[in-house]
Amino acid sequence: MVDTSRRNTFKMLVTGAVAAPFVAKSSTSASCSVETRQLTWAHGVEGQRKADLGNGTYLNPIVAGDHPDPTILKDGSDYYMTFTPFDASPGIVIWHSTDLVNWSPVTAALTKPIGTVFAVDLCKHNDRYFIYIPAAAQGKGWSIYVIWADHIKGPWSDPIDLKVTGCIDPGHIVGEDGKRYLFVNGIRKFRLTDDGLAADGPLEPAYSPWRYPDDWVVEDFAPEGPKLLRHGEWFYLITAVGGTAGPPTSHMVIAARSKSIHGPWEHCPHNPLVRTTSAAEPWWSRGHASLVEGPAGDWWMVYHGYENGFRTLGRQTLLEPMEWTSDGWFRAKGGDLSKPLPKPKGGKSSTSGFALSDDFTRNKFGVQWSLHQPAAEDMQRVRHEKGALYLAAKGQSPADSSPLTCLAGDRAYVAEVTLDLLDGAEGGVLLFYNHKAFVGVGFTPEHMKTFEYADELAWMQQPMVTSSVRIRLTNDNNVVTYHYSHDGGKTWVLHGLRMEVSGMHHNVFGGFLSLKFGIYSAKKGGIRIRDFTYHAIG
């Protein structure tokens, strides 16, 4: 299914350089405020930006880069969170924290491609873990699937189709009757069997969400992302409305409550609880929230947003403090998130992030590396060799391949990799949004190619005999520079074309994706990938 039709389907669903350090330049966005440009993060592994500032405060995002639609689970003193993988496979990477600020990946729960995946729900019931997954296989409509595991690290089951069609954004809750339910976009619900592995009732309307004033500048109404919580005598329903992208002031968080899972539901008098009100704020289109209790018993809200000037990074995960009010409702207390906030109290500090540099002596496939839109048989294209990853060819160019991708959450970084061309293969590096939107450089045994905005620039093709090449890609605040080396990185040649990629995002190309580092293998044979290095530079 092409991206334009996927985007239209979604609307219908929701409505029914060198590695030396330097100072990063400010965003090219005209609306980016001075305050936004001066945001300063801590630096973690490989210089990657880190939310924990080391002084008892943190600065959003808590998980940088393309981590939309967060679903969070408190499991004793541990927290687990996962996100929408879209077209990446393996996917549904589960992250772990003990303090809500520092997060690191644990495993990829979904190991078999089932199509495009939207917002999932992670929950635990009777000591078993479940992930409910809306997915659209190629040429098929949306259906809700489920996978389960007895341990969070897996092994996770194969997907089971609940055969509830035309739905996305599941949210799990146990009702006052002890039965299990899924709420979905709309806002609708259906009952589950006690084991959670099949539907046990009809899909029916559940709640008519609160509506914002008609003169607010939003994308569309789009009630989606229902997340539920039982607190005291009330069930609370947290919903996103306003549209996921579009104008920066679109997305928002609203709430309702009821003493029964079957309603009636009353609107929160504080709606909307979260909303971007100005394009000058550092975070746009904030929404799709879940509530979670902190280590010390206080409460927090986790949701996503686009970074002002960096929609190319996708929607990133944000953490905001909240408080329960005397009337049994709650309020968000973080404001526009332009300043550091006090960290949650009581949590044991946990690991933050992980190194992206990869010598391929360990298998990081799934947690770091994934294929974009693979067919089921495409998983056989990848095999680990001693200190290398082999990627068999597919298609004739990046435009019809299934490239290997790696998500980066920094505004500026340098990435290098060595590619060996085997048996006549063509290979190269990309910044890849989708098959209609990518830039990069590629090498055949006889030529160097240049790709700009999904087209090869024929006038830039150069004769160049190549069997092994090291390629450096520098992304400096959406300005891309390439270097290449044929002596293992001892000497470098500057590529003759720089590119500006700030427009390669959802509001232009659809798909709700992000611009990822990619490696493609095409034509015939395959490529051997060696010695990938990454370092953030701003």
Side-chain angles (χ1 to χ4, degrees):
M1 188 183 298
V2 297
D3 286 321
T4 51
S5 62
R6 282 170 48 199
R7 188 180 187 188
N8 291 336
T9 300
F10 174 77
K11 282 185 171 294
M12 289 187 287
L13 282 167
V14 296
T15 56
V18 293
F22 62 90
V23 177
K25 300 174 180 65
S26 63
S27 165
T28 56
S29 170
S31 60
C32 188
S33 69
V34 172
E35 187 173 51
T36 302
R37 292 197 301 267
Q38 292 176 343
L39 294 179
T40 303
W41 290 269
H43 297 288
V45 60
E46 300 173 329
Q48 297 177 38
R49 59 177 172 170
K50 181 179 175 182
D52 192 341
L53 301 183
N55 59 0
T57 68
Y58 72 97
L59 183 62
N60 279 298
I62 55 169
V63 186
D66 191 16
H67 295 92
D69 307 318
T71 171
I72 190 167
L73 170 66
K74 182 179 180 357
D75 188 19
S77 59
D78 294 294
Y79 296 88
Y80 298 101
M81 188 161 57
T82 191
F83 316 92
T84 296
F86 293 113
D87 300 299
S89 185
I92 309 186
V93 179
I94 298 172
W95 290 61
H96 171 257
S97 176
T98 52
D99 64 2
L100 287 177
V101 170
N102 295 287
W103 293 85
S104 59
V106 173
T107 189
L110 183 64
T111 57
K112 293 186 176 181
I114 56 173
T116 299
V117 172
F118 274 4
V120 305
D121 194 58
L122 169 66
C123 61
K124 186 179 183 181
H125 184 74
N126 290 342
D127 295 323
R128 176 168 282 181
Y129 299 90
F130 298 83
I131 303 177
Y132 290 94
I133 307 167
Q138 190 76 18
K140 298 182 180 179
W142 291 92
S143 189
I144 303 290
Y145 297 76
V146 61
I147 58 176
W148 60 269
D150 290 323
H151 192 283
I152 195 71
K153 293 182 180 179
W156 285 84
S157 74
D158 287 344
I160 301 167
D161 189 352
L162 301 185
K163 296 182 171 59
V164 180
T165 60
C167 300
I168 58 173
D169 293 10
H172 178 271
I173 188 67
V174 177
E176 72 276 11
D177 56 5
K179 297 295 184 180
R180 303 173 65 179
Y181 295 85
L182 282 187
F183 281 59
V184 296
N185 64 302
I187 299 297
R188 301 163 290 168
K189 75 176 190 302
F190 63 92
R191 191 173 66 240
L192 294 166
T193 54
D194 291 344
D195 63 7
L197 302 181
D200 191 31
L203 181 66
E204 57 188 7
Y207 166 61
S208 181
W210 173 88
R211 284 188 175 262
Y212 44 79
D214 289 342
D215 61 350
W216 284 14
V217 180
V218 301
E219 185 179 24
D220 58 358
F221 184 48
E224 57 179 323
K227 299 297 179 186
L228 294 103
L229 169 76
R230 192 170 192 178
H231 185 68
E233 61 180 342
W234 295 97
F235 291 94
Y236 292 87
L237 171 59
I238 300 92
T239 304
V241 294
T244 295
T249 53
S250 292
H251 217 24
M252 66 190 83
V253 178
I254 65 171
R257 71 181 183 185
S258 172
K259 291 187 177 180
S260 169
I261 204 68
H262 306 292
W265 296 89
E266 58 178 295
H267 302 319
C268 177
H270 312 309
N271 284 336
L273 296 161
V274 170
R275 183 189 176 222
T276 302
T277 58
S278 167
E281 292 181 30
W283 294 101
W284 292 353
S285 300
R286 296 187 290 150
H288 203 108
S290 296
L291 306 187
V292 64
E293 185 179 7
D298 52 358
W299 284 79
W300 298 80
M301 188 179 294
V302 176
Y303 55 86
H304 65 212
Y306 282 108
E307 189 170 358
N308 187 333
F310 291 89
R311 279 194 170 111
T312 50
L313 291 176
R315 290 164 295 168
Q316 306 180 56
T317 303
L318 312 174
L319 178 71
E320 181 169 354
M322 53 159 284
E323 63 179 358
W324 291 98
T325 55
S326 59
D327 57 0
W329 290 103
F330 51 89
R331 294 180 185 271
K333 301 195 300 181
D336 71 1
L337 307 187
S338 62
K339 301 285 199 308
L341 295 166
K343 282 182 60 178
K345 298 183 183 302
K348 178 183 177 182
S349 183
S350 51
T351 303
S352 177
F354 68 107
L356 296 178
S357 297
D358 194 356
D359 61 6
F360 300 101
T361 57
R362 295 186 300 120
N363 185 358
K364 297 169 74 175
F365 200 69
V367 170
Q368 175 175 342
W369 300 101
S370 61
L371 294 174
H372 178 82
Q373 279 188 346
E377 64 273 14
D378 279 355
M379 306 307 290
Q380 305 305 313
R381 296 174 56 217
V382 180
R383 72 169 183 259
H384 279 85
E385 300 180 347
K386 186 176 181 179
L389 188 72
Y390 176 85
L391 180 63
K394 179 179 181 178
Q396 298 301 303
S397 78
D400 60 354
S401 70
S402 179
L404 187 71
T405 63
C406 171
L407 190 156
D410 296 295
R411 294 175 168 188
Y413 56 87
V414 176
E416 293 181 14
V417 69
T418 296
L419 305 181
D420 301 326
L421 309 181
L422 307 175
D423 302 319
E426 175 181 330
V429 302
L430 311 165
L431 280 182
F432 185 87
Y433 182 83
N434 61 22
H435 290 107
K436 298 187 301 179
F438 60 84
V439 299
V441 292
F443 293 84
T444 75
E446 297 86 20
H447 296 93
M448 180 178 71
K449 298 182 175 183
T450 302
F451 302 95
E452 188 172 33
Y453 313 131
D455 286 325
E456 183 191 352
L457 301 179
W459 59 272
M460 284 211 72
Q461 188 174 118
Q462 296 182 36
M464 192 174 295
V465 176
T466 304
S467 61
S468 180
V469 59
R470 187 159 182 81
I471 308 169
R472 174 190 293 159
L473 182 151
T474 303
N475 182 356
D476 177 9
N477 293 269
N478 290 322
V479 175
V480 183
T481 302
Y482 310 98
H483 293 76
Y484 56 93
S485 170
H486 286 102
D487 58 8
K490 295 177 183 177
T491 59
W492 291 92
V493 178
L494 172 66
H495 187 277
L497 184 69
R498 282 186 171 87
M499 302 175 183
E500 204 277 344
V501 295
S502 62
M504 298 177 72
H505 56 73
H506 169 79
N507 279 6
V508 178
F509 291 100
F512 303 99
L513 306 174
S514 68
L515 203 54
K516 298 179 181 179
F517 181 88
I519 300 172
Y520 81 96
S521 175
K523 298 285 178 65
K524 58 183 179 179
I527 63 172
R528 184 183 296 117
I529 305 166
R530 298 187 286 116
D531 192 20
F532 175 75
T533 62
Y534 177 93
H535 189 78
I537 54 175

